[in-house]
Amino acid sequence: MKLYLASLGAGLLVGIVYSLINVRSPAPPVVALVGLLGILIGEQIVPVARHLIAGDSLRTAIGLADCSDHVLGQLPGRQSAAVEPPQDTPLRDTPPHTPPGT
């Protein structure tokens, strides 16, 4: 959620600067958003095509290319993909640091 708020804040800041210096945005918002969507989808064509050429089905190719995560990003409410180690498993083989003089 912080990422969305930061993005909105950056957009608002740029809009305020545009207004102060009497500059119109380069494209109407809908045109700009459609262009960005085209860029995101276009980036996925090559990875999906590679999987299709390798003989995977379209659904499998899209899943293997991680298209939904790339195009949509981490959606609110989705669990993190990072897997945490079990609590009883040590994270490293070295002994913990002890302060000098103890």
Side-chain angles (χ1 to χ4, degrees), residues 40-98:
L40 288 172
I41 292 172
E43 287 178 339
Q44 299 307 306
I45 290 174
V46 173
V48 170
R50 285 184 185 143
H51 289 289
L52 288 173
I53 291 170
D56 294 322
S57 69
L58 180 61
R59 180 177 289 201
T60 303
I62 290 172
L64 291 172
D66 290 330
C67 292
S68 63
D69 288 342
H70 181 76
V71 172
L72 301 175
Q74 179 86 19
L75 297 176
R78 290 182 74 182
Q79 298 296 323
S80 174
V83 176
E84 295 183 20
Q87 294 295 334
D88 58 345
T89 304
L91 296 177
R92 57 186 180 169
D93 294 332
T94 59
H97 175 71
T98 55

